[in-house]
Amino acid sequence: MRLKWYYPIIGALVALLIVMPFDWFPGHYTTLMIFIAINTMVTVGLCLLLGYTGQVSLGHAAFYGIGAYFSAILSKTYSLNPWLAMLIAAIATGAFAYVIGYPIFRLKGNYLAVATLCLGVILYILFRQLGQFTGGPDGISGIPYLSIGGFVFDSSFKRYFLVWFFCLSVLFISQNIVNSRTGRALRAIHGSEDAAESIGINVDRFKVKIFVLSAVYASLAGSLFAHHVTHVSPSTFSPMASVIVVVMAVIGGLASIWGAIFGAGTVVTLKYEVLLEFGELEIVIYGLILMLVMIFMPAGLFVWLKELYERLRLRRVRRRAET
């Protein structure tokens, strides 16, 4: 039985995740990997929505922000258990996505993209203006850490394993979805909504369901972010943040679940290790990277690596056959 191409990648990833937070790596890399995991969760949801279902969303940072602010307000202002706050945040975000899903998905193409972008702008303004709840432009500080009994996730070392547990769970759940009947229905909708309806697929229901799921993913990521940095402010959830999530999805591959790690890892590493000195030019560099990926690797970095692996394997097989 031939080893599947992605097994070595998953094995290497798991090994890296295990050793990363220990003394063999500089401490700030642990924090970097936490941000990669959080952004991966948001990116996976967008991949399901955009890459598999073909529905454009330029406002995913809004759901990210709803999760973060709900967790922050409930746990800090109302002293609710942080885990319960996370659960309520996910339910509230999913309910909000469900309510707006049916009307918003009556739109298609550019109209849908503009509508989701406007949704992100509206919520970003609300985060800034509802100061009595959100703290206004300054945000909310002093958000409590997550804890289990007497064990508090009060260090990056501890939160690292917690965040990656959630991230890998989201990845495996999403991979199972795309390999199921639901995944086949999503791909059919992406190919042609009319053709999907003709074979009995309830297009509107599937689009809204995957929209809700992607919103819940973003909400969980936002809650984990809030309890990691213990401070949230509107700037983190600006409309530009939604665009950057799209860049992550494109780099990793819109139709690749595991590629979300590569996309998030590439952008987050560039942001915190390379682009801090470029200031406002950061978005220009993202645009150039996006353009180059779409021209030379239109299926995404992860898929390109997969195809490179397959080409090298076939070349090795031919050489063996010739000898």
Side-chain angles (χ1 to χ4, degrees):
M1 179 176 173
R2 185 171 66 85
L3 188 69
K4 291 187 177 181
W5 66 270
Y6 52 81
Y7 283 0
I9 297 176
I10 295 175
L13 174 64
V14 172
L16 181 63
L17 294 180
I18 292 173
V19 303
M20 178 65 74
F22 294 95
D23 293 337
W24 298 294
F25 292 87
H28 77 280
Y29 282 132
T30 302
T31 301
L32 188 70
M33 290 294 289
I34 291 174
F35 284 125
I36 290 174
I38 290 172
N39 283 276
T40 296
M41 293 173 65
V42 184
T43 306
V44 169
L46 189 62
C47 287
L48 287 173
L49 184 65
L50 181 55
Y52 285 92
T53 317
Q55 306 305 306
V56 180
S57 175
L58 297 179
H60 248 54
F63 303 122
Y64 186 40
I66 291 174
Y69 271 107
F70 257 88
S71 285
I73 293 169
L74 292 176
S75 62
K76 169 70 188 305
T77 308
Y78 296 100
S79 302
L80 203 64
N81 182 285
W83 292 108
L84 183 57
M86 281 183 63
L87 177 61
I88 294 174
I91 294 172
T93 306
F96 176 68
Y98 182 82
V99 169
I100 66 170
Y102 279 102
I104 206 170
F105 281 120
R106 293 182 181 276
L107 303 172
K108 299 181 185 297
N110 296 333
Y111 297 102
L112 176 60
V114 171
T116 54
L117 179 61
C118 291
L119 173 67
V121 172
I122 290 170
L123 285 172
Y124 172 67
I125 293 173
L126 289 177
F127 293 153
R128 292 178 60 89
Q129 297 301 319
L130 296 178
Q132 65 272 33
F133 300 108
T134 64
D138 295 330
I140 302 174
S141 299
I143 302 168
Y145 293 118
L146 292 166
S147 62
I148 300 176
F151 184 83
V152 182
F153 295 91
D154 55 359
S155 68
S156 294
F157 177 85
K158 298 175 182 178
R159 291 191 296 275
Y160 171 89
F161 292 102
L162 175 70
V163 171
W164 272 101
F165 169 78
F166 275 97
C167 179
L168 291 175
S169 298
V170 164
L171 287 167
F172 280 112
I173 290 171
S174 301
Q175 188 64 53
N176 285 330
I177 289 174
V178 301
N179 290 333
S180 67
R181 293 180 61 186
T182 298
R184 292 191 290 273
L186 297 179
R187 285 188 283 269
I189 293 171
H190 191 181
S192 172
E193 292 187 15
D194 293 333
E197 286 183 345
S198 69
I199 58 175
I201 295 174
N202 190 326
V203 172
D204 291 337
R205 186 180 67 181
F206 273 103
K207 288 195 295 187
V208 171
K209 279 185 175 180
I210 212 66
F211 185 57
V212 170
L213 180 63
S214 66
V216 170
Y217 283 173
S219 175
L220 287 174
S223 295
L224 290 170
F225 172 82
H227 292 294
H228 170 60
V229 301
T230 69
H231 173 81
V232 293
S233 62
S235 59
T236 307
F237 317 108
S238 67
M240 189 54 64
S242 295
V243 176
I244 292 175
V245 173
V246 174
V247 174
M248 293 179 185
V250 171
I251 290 176
L254 290 175
S256 174
I257 296 300
W258 290 94
I261 296 179
F262 286 83
T266 300
V267 174
V268 171
T269 302
L270 285 173
K271 180 178 179 64
Y272 292 104
E273 297 292 322
V274 179
L275 301 181
L276 288 177
E277 299 178 357
F278 288 86
E280 295 181 356
L281 290 176
E282 177 182 345
I283 191 61
V284 176
I285 296 173
Y286 287 144
L288 290 173
I289 293 172
L290 183 61
M291 181 179 65
L292 292 173
V293 169
M294 294 184 71
I295 292 173
F296 298 105
M297 294 178 286
L301 175 62
F302 187 70
V303 177
W304 180 81
L305 290 173
K306 170 190 171 182
E307 293 174 349
L308 177 63
Y309 173 85
E310 290 293 339
R311 286 197 299 269
L312 293 175
R313 187 186 65 81
L314 289 174
R315 186 179 302 173
R316 189 166 57 250
V317 169
R318 291 195 190 99
R319 287 177 180 175
R320 288 177 181 175
E322 290 174 355
T323 57

